[in-house]
Amino acid sequence: MRVVRHAVLWVTGLISLAPFVWMLLTACKPANEVFGRELHILPAHYACAENFATVFSMMPMLRYLANGAFVVVVILALQLLLALPCAYVLAKISHRGRGVLFGAVVFCLMLPTQVVAIPQFLLAQQLGLVDSIWAVALPHAFSAFGIYLLRQYFQTIPDELLDAARLDGFSEFAIVFRLMLPVALPAVIAFGIFSVTAHWNEFFWPQIVLSSPEKLLPPLGIAFFRNEEAGTDYGALMAAASIVIAPLVIAFLLAQRRFIEGIALSGLKG
């Protein structure tokens, strides 16, 4: 059975990695091989340098990467600022209606972002935020998933620890940010990986609220190489996609242990 499990893991892992491997190989192919009739997995002539040079010469990729980094950092900071106290109240403070509030959080998890896109756009328009980085960041300040994940983790923390902190004179906000935040660091890192990945790769909402070329985010920049009339430059397109996902891969590898720990411990208590 152990051999079978490992075989299944290897097969599913290879299937999951296949699109990324194909993306990297395409990023190293010249145009005549990408559009050739014969299918070659490995490039016959490597054009990695040319394709990656095209990315930086045809578009301000560094500017887009900086925009994306600023947006995901602001979103994550706002989400943690709101999610930590909300999760603490739902997990550790007994009050009437706690179950109803938690049910509302779970209900929000089932709502796709497209459902509220029109009201959010109209609100951003009324506030004069359209075509600004803040129009991208502020609608994501509330994260139902962040509240849910942190609430599950907070429930694994003994109440005696909180009682001791109150005896030492900690206020409830001090308990949240000076005690619960360091203790729940694995869950915070796990949520951070989810949040950064989701908003770094987001295409739908930024496409609606952003129009100025200098304010675009990395996924919108990648679309620059799609051209139905002149033909898509797939080599440069895949090179740009490789550049965009590289920070996510590096971040996950650096935080892998904490990420797994946070996800595992968050499911111990319901």
Side-chain angles (χ1 to χ4, degrees), residues 75 78-80 82-84 86 105 108-109 139-150 191 194-195 199:
I75 290 176
L78 292 174
Q79 287 178 336
L80 290 177
L82 295 176
L84 282 165
C86 291
V105 171
C108 290
L109 286 172
H140 299 295
F142 171 80
S143 172
F145 176 71
I147 295 174
Y148 176 83
L149 182 68
L150 292 172
F191 170 66
F194 279 115
S195 175
H199 300 299

Side-chain angles (χ1 to χ4, degrees), residues 1 22 46 55 60 66-67 71 75-76 106 122 124-125 129 133 149 154 165-166 170 184 216 221 249:
M1 288 298 296
W22 188 260
Y46 285 87
V55 172
N67 291 343
V71 167
I75 290 176
L76 180 59
V106 175
L122 294 176
Q125 192 176 45
L129 296 176
I133 296 297
L149 182 68
F154 285 170
R166 293 188 183 101
F170 277 49
L216 298 183
V249 175

Side-chain angles (χ1 to χ4, degrees), residues 27-132:
C28 293
K29 291 181 179 180
N32 62 332
E33 291 189 31
V34 174
F35 294 101
R37 294 183 178 181
E38 297 182 0
L39 177 63
H40 296 283
I41 297 178
L42 295 176
H45 300 87
Y46 285 87
C48 301
E50 292 84 349
N51 289 331
F52 281 91
T54 300
V55 172
F56 290 98
S57 63
M58 296 293 293
M59 58 182 290
M61 174 57 80
L62 293 178
R63 177 67 176 266
Y64 295 160
L65 293 174
N67 291 343
F70 176 78
V71 167
V72 297
V73 169
V74 170
I75 290 176
L76 180 59
L78 292 174
Q79 287 178 336
L80 290 177
L81 188 64
L82 295 176
L84 282 165
C86 291
Y88 172 73
V89 169
L90 291 175
K92 294 299 183 181
I93 304 297
S94 297
H95 57 90
R96 295 179 61 183
R98 184 169 68 170
V100 176
L101 290 175
F102 182 65
V105 171
V106 175
F107 174 75
C108 290
L109 286 172
M110 297 183 290
L111 290 177
T113 57
Q114 291 81 0
V115 171
V116 294
I118 294 178
Q120 286 179 344
F121 178 80
L122 294 176
L123 180 60
Q125 192 176 45
Q126 291 294 323
L127 296 175
L129 296 176
V130 174
D131 195 27
S132 71

Side-chain angles (χ1 to χ4, degrees), residues 7 11 47 49 56 83 94 119 133 141 167 188 218 225 228 245 251 257 264 267 269:
V11 171
F56 290 98
S94 297
I133 296 297
L167 290 175
V188 171
F225 294 101
E228 295 181 359
I245 70 167
R257 185 174 65 86
K269 263 192 176 182

Side-chain angles (χ1 to χ4, degrees), residues 156-167:
T156 66
I157 299 174
D159 292 336
E160 292 76 12
L161 183 62
L162 308 183
D163 295 335
R166 293 188 183 101
L167 290 175

